């Protein structure tokens, strides 16, 4: 037994468990056995679900400025819809997901990258109960989100106007989703300009979300921006009238902000089933 940054990890031969303290999650490395060529060939010929997802992403994502076709979107969704926690080394019986206690301070958000290249990335996000990934965008990206475990509230928007306003000015957005997802559920998809490209995750219970991003974020030309909803009292008369005309239940003014100070996200290593590149 060993302690690592708040996470208690039980490591024995041939098993992997995740325990936690202060609502933090950790993978634990399992012994890796060398496989003979015949075994490797069988795995390539009949890939596991994660390998199947990876191989399909290689074909579907063709780099920046491209959006997958409807048939390719359906293909990835059909694979992701089949995915279960065990396919990435998780289980609902892990202590992190069973915990009903509320963490002191800001609930934790962690992520573990499975794979990343210029065309796409595979990543899992872990949210403790009440944890929030704040409202943010996905510039020029198509994103598939599969809730593997837990109950997750999603709120998402798309821009009403295609042209951005002058710098520091709020921008009108239309509400696309405001609901709670409960695992297991269907895969959610957002696109560069539709499907709720600006979204917020708020964990109702401890959650794990598998994200497929194509292309992934880039500090050069696809950096992440964060937003906040402006209260009606903070709007000018002109801004208020546009909301009222469009239906106040669906339109909101969003203002770009710096990353909130309490939105730290911790990276952890991935030790689930491996993919063959």
């Amino acid at each position: 037994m060993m302690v690592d940054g708040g996470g208690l990890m039980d490591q024995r031969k041939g098993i992997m468990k995740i325990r936690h303290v202060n609502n933090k999650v950790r993978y634990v490395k399992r012994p890796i056995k060398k496989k003979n060529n015949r075994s490797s060939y069988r795995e390539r010929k009949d890939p596991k679900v994660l390998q199947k997802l990876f191989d399909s992403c290689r074909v579907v994502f063709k780099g920046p400025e491209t959006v997958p076709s409807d048939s390719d979107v359906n293909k990835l969704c059909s694979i992701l819809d089949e995915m279960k926690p065990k396919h990435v080394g998780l289980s609902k019986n892990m202590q992190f997901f069973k915990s009903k206690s509320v963490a002191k301070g800001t609930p934790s958000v962690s992520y573990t990258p499975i794979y990343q290249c210029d065309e796409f990335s595979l990543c899992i996000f872990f949210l403790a109960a009440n944890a929030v990934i704040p409202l943010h965008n996905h510039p020029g990206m198509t994103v598939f989100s599969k809730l593997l475990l837990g109950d997750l509230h999603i709120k998402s928007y798309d821009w009403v106007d295609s042209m951005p306003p002058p710098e520091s000015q709020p921008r009108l957005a239309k509400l696309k989703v405001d609901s709670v997802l409960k695992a297991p559920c269907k895969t959610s998809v957002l696109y560069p300009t539709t499907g709720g490209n600006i979204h917020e995750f708020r964990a109702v219970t401890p959650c794990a979300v598998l994200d497929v991003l194509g292309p992934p974020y880039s500090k050069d030309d696809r950096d992440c921006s964060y937003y906040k909803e402006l209260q009606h009292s903070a709007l000018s008369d002109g801004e208020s009238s546009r909301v009222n005309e469009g239906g106040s239940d669906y339109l909101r003014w969003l203002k770009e902000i710096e990353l909130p100070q309490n939105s730290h996200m911790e990276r952890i290593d991935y030790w689930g089933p491996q993919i063959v590149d």
Side-chain angles (χ1 to χ4, degrees):
M1 183 79 71
M2 57 184 175
V3 179
D4 178 28
L8 289 177
M9 305 192 297
D10 187 0
Q11 187 173 8
R12 305 172 197 163
K13 184 177 180 180
I15 65 172
M16 177 178 69
K17 294 184 179 180
I18 297 179
R19 296 186 179 182
H20 84 295
V21 173
N22 296 332
N23 290 1
K24 293 185 178 180
V25 66
R26 290 288 186 277
Y27 272 97
V28 179
K29 183 177 180 181
R30 288 194 288 189
I32 298 176
K33 298 179 180 180
K34 291 186 177 180
K35 300 177 181 178
N36 58 39
N37 290 336
R38 182 175 298 177
S39 175
S40 289
Y41 175 76
R42 281 199 302 267
E43 284 196 5
R44 287 172 182 265
K45 185 177 180 181
D46 185 21
K48 303 293 185 181
V49 176
L50 183 60
Q51 184 68 45
K52 184 178 179 181
L53 175 64
F54 170 79
D55 292 340
S56 296
C57 287
R58 278 288 201 196
V59 175
V60 168
F61 294 109
K62 300 175 174 63
E65 310 301 328
T66 62
V67 177
S69 65
D70 290 344
S71 61
D72 283 339
V73 168
N74 291 335
K75 179 179 181 180
L76 290 185
C77 282
S78 66
I79 298 171
L80 285 163
D81 287 344
E82 294 178 5
M83 294 202 71
K84 296 177 173 57
K86 66 181 181 180
H87 295 138
V88 288
L90 300 176
S91 167
K92 66 180 181 180
N93 295 321
M94 291 173 172
Q95 187 61 39
F96 175 81
F97 301 108
K98 294 169 64 176
S99 174
K100 296 182 180 179
S101 62
V102 178
K104 295 180 179 179
T106 303
S108 67
V109 177
S110 304
Y111 73 99
T112 179
I114 300 174
Y115 180 86
Q116 179 166 333
C117 63
D118 291 340
E119 286 73 36
F120 69 94
S121 65
L122 307 176
C123 182
I124 304 172
F125 292 92
F126 299 97
L127 294 85
N130 298 323
V132 176
I133 298 179
L135 199 61
H136 63 283
N137 70 343
H138 306 81
M141 300 159 66
T142 303
V143 181
F144 298 75
S145 295
K146 170 64 176 179
L147 179 63
L148 296 170
L149 289 162
D151 298 350
L152 181 69
H153 179 257
I154 298 179
K155 195 171 189 178
S156 67
Y157 297 90
D158 285 323
W159 298 123
V160 171
D161 301 318
S162 58
M163 293 299 294
E167 189 175 356
S168 78
Q169 295 298 310
R171 187 173 179 182
L172 194 61
K174 184 174 183 178
L175 182 66
K176 300 297 291 185
V177 176
D178 187 6
S179 61
V180 174
L181 299 182
K182 296 177 179 289
C185 58
K186 294 291 185 179
T187 303
S188 301
V189 187
L190 63 84
Y191 301 89
T193 59
T194 61
N197 185 275
I198 308 103
H199 70 195
E200 173 191 86
F201 286 172
R202 186 177 297 268
V204 179
T205 65
C207 294
V209 184
L210 171 62
D211 263 9
V212 180
L213 297 86
Y217 284 110
S218 167
K219 289 186 177 181
D220 295 329
D221 52 8
R222 287 186 306 281
D223 203 3
C224 186
S225 297
Y226 295 88
Y227 301 88
K228 69 174 181 179
E229 291 184 24
L230 294 183
Q231 299 299 316
H232 198 275
S233 59
L235 302 177
S236 67
D237 291 340
E239 292 166 346
S240 296
S241 64
R242 285 201 68 185
V243 169
N244 293 332
E245 290 170 3
S248 58
D249 290 341
Y250 299 100
L251 297 182
R252 296 288 188 277
W253 286 97
L254 305 183
K255 182 177 176 61
E256 186 173 348
I257 60 173
E258 296 293 328
L259 174 66
Q261 292 183 351
N262 61 349
S263 296
H264 172 72
M265 192 177 295
E266 181 183 10
R267 173 174 172 153
I268 59 176
D269 291 334
Y270 173 72
W271 294 112
Q274 301 298 300
I275 56 177
V276 178
D277 191 350

